[in-house]
Amino acid sequence: MSPERYQKINQVLAKRQPDLTLLLEEVHKPHNVSAVIRSADAVGVCDVHAVWEQNKALRKGTAMGSQVWVKTHAHSSLSEAINVLHQQNMQVLVTHLDDTAVDFRDIDYTQPTAILLGQEKTGATDEAVALADKSVVVPMVGMVQSLNVSVAAAVILYEAQRQREAAGMYHIQKVSEQHIQETLFQGGFP
Amino acid sequence: MSPERYQKINQVLAKRQPDLTLLLEEVHKPHNVSAVIRSADAVGVCDVHAVWEQNKALRKGTAMGSQVWVKTHAHSSLSEAINVLHQQNMQVLVTHLDDTAVDFRDIDYTQPTAILLGQEKTGATDEAVALADKSVVVPMVGMVQSLNVSVAAAVILYEAQRQREAAGMYHIQKVSEQHIQETLFQGGFP
Ligand SMILES: C[S@@+](CC[C@H](N)C(=O)[O-])C[C@H]1O[C@@H](n2cnc3c(N)ncnc32)[C@H](O)[C@@H]1O
Ligand SMILES: C[S@@+](CC[C@H](N)C(=O)[O-])C[C@H]1O[C@@H](n2cnc3c(N)ncnc32)[C@H](O)[C@@H]1O
């Protein structure tokens, strides 16, 4: 591995935010999954959770190489996934287009946070809305009824990035030395 | 047209931002164009400009019905498109991944603004960078080299929306009565 690449990987790992994550509930289209994972990587998210009905694996090659850098965790049920996140003391926010949802900018993303994204056609399930701690919405003033799912994810992630940057959270290394060594080993020799 | 629909359309038109627009430089994939136009509609953008090499028309049906609400203007060359925008006193910002680009949050989007988006693979052309007034970038701290184009567009558009909301710009009707009458006529009877 070249010294430049070694340095780049180390810099990236130093800014990782293990307490900020996404949970994809049946998000199916590869180009959406790909776009979501690229945005996650770009703001320092290193773990993404997903629930698929038949426990399908994330298709390979959809995220332009970022899967090495963003670890995906597959869960067989939504309740299992949310349990895991709650055990990590995360607030679970479901993105949901209803009138009681909180404006996404009124959330404190410096807290450990998981953002739940719903399926392209049907949105988040009733179960997701019931199990999540809060519903959040990206306000819209147009005629269309929803944003693309990867767009909604990114707009919220960049608000989290803004708050975490302001709070100095990108200047404290949070991933463990072991994680760093493993990642250097796996990702350093593509 | 039902009274509810009539009222909805009027509410939407009252919040339109004719002095905020996008310029797509050879953005090709229908799902990206679709996602971009949905985001534009959602923040009140009512005009989107596009340049395609062979003057291809925007494919129909890709934006889930929002094309009625967001007018697309096709240009045969980039310089022509930028001329038109400059004649409207717009600052033209090219989204561009280079070290000299300004952080997208350091821009004043309450000014008349056009955001230029580059092609999925190759990005914005040298000509675009030369003709635009400024280069802007969405900061990234991960391993991937770029965001999906519709994601980058939305993150910037929602920063513009935030600034314009704070400046009270969604509370002043800016589109003309004529535009309102035309839109009610075209869009009211789908
Ligand atoms: C295309 S939308 C689903 C639309 C579905 N018809 C509904 O009513 O929920 C797919 C996902 O994108 C996200 N999404 C889209 N627009 C959003 C918005 N304005 N605010 C928050 N999340 C949004 C949510 O995760 C949603 O489940
Ligand atoms: C996938 S990128 C093109 C990548 C290309 N390899 C390059 O170096 O420009 C497609 C378009 O998305 C937008 N884009 C992607 N990431 C961006 C970022 N971090 N900041 C600003 N614009 C971005 C730009 O409009 C860019 O032209």
Side-chain angles (χ1 to χ4, degrees), chain B residues 14 39 61 73 75 98 118 121 131:
Chain B
S39 303
H73 306 263
H75 300 274
D98 86 29
K121 264 224 169 103
L131 293 176

Side-chain angles (χ1 to χ4, degrees), chain B residues 8-21:
Chain B
K8 167 81 178 172
I9 298 174
N10 266 303
Q11 277 171 359
V12 164
L13 291 173
K15 291 183 184 288
R16 283 321 210 192
Q17 308 286 312
D19 59 349
L20 179 64
T21 189

